[in-house]
Amino acid sequence: MNNKRIVVAVDGPAGAGKSTISKRVAKILNLEYIDTGAMYRALTLKILRKGINPKDVTKIMEVMEETIIFFKNNHIYLDGTKVDEEIRKNIVNKHVSEISKIGKVREKMVDMQRKLSESTNVIMDGRDIGTVVLPHANYKFFITASVEERARRRYKELLERGEKNISYDQVLSDIKERDRIDSTRQIAPLKKSPDALVIDTTNKTIDECVNQIIGIIEGR
Ligand code: CDP
């Protein structure tokens, strides 16, 4: 590696393994990890807690104006309180794409994300990182897996988190719906950047994917 700043963009659909892989790469290469999905999730959590209709853009923007979202030591804070666990709840999974498709919400988030990535070596994951947030990233990856495999992983994760009253079929249909909203929205849809390398994790271990990415960044 030379002295140039390292900027890595990672995109892909729900449950493909982006965040697990990005976190490990960040640790090994000593990069700042920014989970942009967590930011959309934190805002969604606040909207749900306040009982605001996810379609009420005016109210949502009012809430966003008075909301502080930041990361500290790889934990996410919403208005000063750590919300790592709450933002992974199934109720947030179900509503986050609805909130994330609002153009004004995205504008503010993208601003915050660019600021967070200034002047540091960074790996950022999400849906529009290589295409919109960091189009000049020097490494871009699009991490994917079959929808069934992604649903299996998410179902297992939710069970491990103690969620009750969920079924694999329901998780599968929720993921399909989220993929649909994320890929068809008007602003910054989930899309592979033409210069991104695709990594299909369906039949690969996390370590294999991490090693592949590190190999590329280190120019091996
Ligand atoms: O963890 P998972 O892959 O299920 O999703 P996530 O990365 O936490 O993102 C949750 C949701 O936030 C996505 O389904 C998108 O609707 C939205 N999102 C987005 O619109 N743009 C991003 N850069 C990141 C997430």
Side-chain angles (χ1 to χ4, degrees), residues 8-81:
V8 187
V10 178
D11 290 298
K18 293 181 306 286
S19 57
T20 311
I21 292 168
S22 303
K23 248 183 242 163
R24 283 206 205 168
V25 171
K27 202 161 182 199
I28 295 168
L29 296 182
N30 198 22
L31 313 175
E32 190 79 38
Y33 167 56
I34 299 168
D35 177 351
T36 62
M39 298 168 74
Y40 288 97
R41 285 171 177 275
L43 176 66
T44 304
L45 178 67
K46 184 154 173 184
I47 305 287
L48 291 172
R49 279 181 179 165
K50 284 184 164 286
I52 292 168
N53 180 343
K55 292 189 170 43
D56 189 341
V57 177
T58 311
K59 277 248 172 63
I60 290 172
M61 292 320 295
E62 273 169 29
V63 170
M64 201 172 176
E65 286 300 330
E66 54 179 41
T67 297
I68 300 168
I69 293 170
F70 65 89
F71 293 95
K72 201 168 135 196
N73 300 327
N74 281 326
H75 296 290
I76 180 145
Y77 289 78
L78 171 64
D79 298 327
T81 307

Side-chain angles (χ1 to χ4, degrees), residues 11-16 18-19 35-38 40-41 88 93 96-97 100 106 113 125-129 133 154 178 182 185:
D11 290 298
K18 293 181 306 286
S19 57
D35 177 351
T36 62
Y40 288 97
R41 285 171 177 275
R88 305 285 159 200
N93 290 346
V96 62
S97 290
S100 308
R106 302 202 69 80
Q113 290 156 6
D125 80 356
R127 300 292 186 285
D128 58 343
I129 311 305
V133 184
R154 190 46 49 93
R178 193 134 66 91
D182 289 349
R185 69 180 175 221

